Amino acid sequence: MDQLWLVAGLMFVLQAREGHAQIEPLVYDEQLLWVSGGAGEVNTYRIPLLTFTSRGSLLAFAEARKHSSGDIGAKFIALRRSADKGATWSPTYFIVDDGSMADGLNLGSVVVDEETGSVMLIYSLCFHLYQCSPSSTMLVESLDDGLTWSAPRNLSIQLGVKSFAPGPGFGIQKRYDPSAGRLVVCGHGNIEGDGVFCILSDDHGRTWKNGAALKSIPYNQPKQNLDFNPDECQPVELQDGSIVINVRNQNNYHCRCRMVVRSLDGGETLPVEELVFDHTLVDPVVAAGTLQKEGVMYFSNPANSQHRVNMTLRWSLTDGRSWESEALQIWQGPSGYSSMTTLVGNSVEDKKYIFVIYEKGHREYIETISIAKIHLYGGR
Ligand SMILES: *[C@@H]1O[C@H](CO)[C@@H](O)[C@H](O)[C@H]1NC(C)=O
Ligand SMILES: *[C@@H]1O[C@H](CO)[C@@H](O)[C@H](O)[C@H]1NC(C)=O
């Protein structure tokens, strides 16, 4: 029996080296992490984020909106933690409480520093400037794998005051040059001053500076339908060291599909020459998930040009230049924001799974937040 498993394992490794032709994702397990409208102090859970820590835990975060489902209003940041690769989850901890702010916190980007093991969560306060000013970019940090969290630190002191909503999703730590080791967190501005903006740290999150910008047109002016308006986004690093950012196309400029832009200098610039529109990635204007694992790019969104329904996983063997024709439908009903992560490690198990966390409902997508464990090789 052991020998058979060994042979199976070896074949798996050989196949994986030869290429990715056998990628055949299926939903292996699915659990609801949060249900809105329940008892207690929370009206609605939204904006799920997910990461895998360098010590091997999964951390899931969401906005716990206290009084309504709206983007403004007071909130907690909710966290659930899994120390057994997603089999079981801790109860919900509220790690940040914004009190009773009229325009409270908004998530957010989670970024793990592999060298220090630190997990940082960056979010905004007063993003919409509704009955408050200015907007602040805040950071909380855990040095013990998500068990305890620092008091919030105000990054606007270093970055300057500006409406900046990180993510939603994860930030990256560059593995390849240029700027290996750098933390890169990208997000967007407020609707008039919208665009994709990245902030960078070269000292493990101690100090941050402003990096690349891809500004909306007309910038800092009211927008019309079909204007150029890059919004919520998710960066990933390719093996050549470039950063690809998959972006919400807020005003449906050029297509009802995703914008993709690339930085060749470690997140310092986003040249317009590197901007493309991915017509395969049809999108209803939403935050979507992107992930790079072992040379394969994955993309999750509600794949429908009009409505937030049909949560779908796609995969690309060409770093997103083309997509395989098959796709995995994760949920046909109402589906909203999504984010992904992967196990990292050398065991066969670690190579087999990715996780998609997403807003899922029967009548409305804001009813629950669900996490799907995806087996990449058809259950083999
Ligand atoms: C964060 O720092 C900025 C710049 O100093 C300041 O204007 C803002 O009020 C601070 N925000 C918070 C929540 O303390
Ligand atoms: C769901 O997504 C798939 C893959 O993109 C697509 O073929 C299908 O038409 C979509 N269905 C709906 C109802 O949006």
Side-chain angles (χ1 to χ4, degrees):
M1 195 62 189
D2 284 354
Q3 276 155 345
L4 261 182
W5 277 111
L6 189 64
V7 171
L10 268 176
M11 283 178 59
F12 175 82
V13 169
L14 288 175
Q15 281 173 2
R17 286 235 178 97
E18 275 169 19
H20 309 283
Q22 80 282 21
I23 288 184
E24 199 187 319
L26 63 79
V27 177
Y28 196 75
D29 183 29
E30 182 156 357
Q31 295 184 42
L32 294 184
L33 291 187
W34 288 288
V35 178
S36 296
E41 295 167 278
V42 177
N43 179 286
T44 304
Y45 288 93
R46 279 212 61 198
I47 325 294
L49 314 181
L50 189 61
T51 194
F52 187 65
T53 69
S54 37
R55 291 187 218 166
S57 297
L58 284 164
L59 303 181
F61 304 87
E63 290 182 8
R65 299 182 170 184
K66 295 178 190 176
H67 308 300
S68 81
S69 63
D71 291 341
I72 58 170
K75 306 175 195 76
F76 303 102
I77 297 178
L79 164 69
R80 294 187 70 178
R81 188 171 173 276
S82 174
D84 54 12
K85 300 187 175 180
T88 60
W89 292 84
S90 75
T92 295
Y93 303 109
F94 293 135
I95 61 168
V96 178
D97 178 358
D98 63 15
S100 55
M101 280 181 72
D103 185 2
L105 64 87
N106 286 102
L107 286 178
S109 254
V110 57
V111 59
V112 175
D113 188 301
E114 297 291 339
E115 281 166 60
T116 62
S118 155
V119 184
M120 286 160 268
L121 183 64
I122 303 179
Y123 60 96
S124 64
L125 270 186
C126 182
F127 175 75
H128 312 87
L129 303 173
Y130 174 73
Q131 296 183 11
C132 57
S133 179
S135 178
S136 307
T137 303
M138 308 297 288
L139 178 149
V140 287
E141 179 173 23
S142 174
L143 299 172
D144 58 5
D145 210 37
L147 288 172
T148 62
W149 292 83
S150 71
R153 224 173 89 205
N154 183 354
L155 299 187
S156 297
I157 294 166
Q158 292 168 6
L159 293 170
V161 166
K162 173 179 175 5
S163 283
F164 173 66
F170 55 82
I172 58 171
Q173 182 171 44
K174 288 208 81 242
R175 295 173 62 192
Y176 309 102
D177 277 330
S179 306
R182 170 177 285 176
L183 304 177
V184 181
V185 169
C186 302
H188 76 105
N190 65 11
I191 296 302
E192 289 191 2
D194 210 348
V196 167
F197 302 91
C198 300
I199 61 172
L200 314 174
S201 175
D202 290 314
D203 56 7
H204 309 285
R206 227 163 43 82
T207 61
W208 293 83
K209 64 174 183 180
N210 290 299
L214 177 68
K215 289 180 175 170
S216 59
I217 304 173
Y219 187 61
N220 261 340
Q221 294 160 58
K223 296 292 188 295
Q224 296 170 1
N225 190 28
L226 308 182
D227 279 349
F228 179 66
N229 202 0
D231 194 80
E232 294 169 315
C233 60
Q234 176 60 65
V236 295
E237 185 180 26
L238 302 186
Q239 274 163 342
D240 65 5
S242 64
I243 300 169
V244 167
I245 310 179
N246 192 297
V247 183
R248 166 171 170 163
N249 185 353
Q250 180 68 23
N251 290 39
N252 293 309
Y253 178 82
H254 195 71
C255 64
R256 288 185 172 265
C257 70
R258 306 292 297 180
M259 299 184 195
V260 181
V261 66
R262 203 153 68 113
S263 175
L264 305 175
D265 55 8
E268 309 265 353
T269 62
L270 288 171
V272 83
E273 293 86 337
E274 297 293 332
L275 174 67
V276 295
F277 294 81
D278 192 330
H279 293 267
T280 307
L281 303 184
V282 168
D283 191 68
V285 184
V286 73
T290 309
L291 181 73
Q292 187 76 5
K293 179 180 171 74
E294 316 252 322
V296 181
M297 187 179 283
Y298 297 89
F299 176 78
S300 63
N301 80 334
N304 183 287
S305 67
Q306 307 291 332
H307 304 291
R308 292 181 176 181
V309 296
N310 196 30
M311 181 55 62
T312 298
L313 180 71
R314 288 192 163 278
W315 54 100
S316 165
L317 311 181
T318 58
D319 291 335
R321 286 189 300 277
S322 62
W323 298 89
E324 295 299 288
S325 52
E326 318 94 279
L328 171 68
Q329 186 184 63
I330 297 175
W331 176 244
Q332 68 168 19
S335 325
Y337 283 28
S338 60
S339 180
M340 286 185 277
T341 198
T342 175
L343 303 178
V344 181
N346 291 320
S347 77
V348 172
E349 288 284 291
D350 294 333
K351 310 248 182 246
K352 276 186 187 173
Y353 298 103
I354 62 172
F355 293 83
V356 181
I357 191 167
Y358 69 104
E359 298 173 337
K360 172 183 186 174
H362 287 270
R363 283 183 304 139
E364 285 184 290
Y365 65 84
I366 59 173
E367 288 162 10
T368 72
I369 290 177
S370 181
I371 185 164
K373 180 177 182 178
I374 308 290
H375 192 303
L376 296 176
Y377 301 100
R380 293 189 297 274

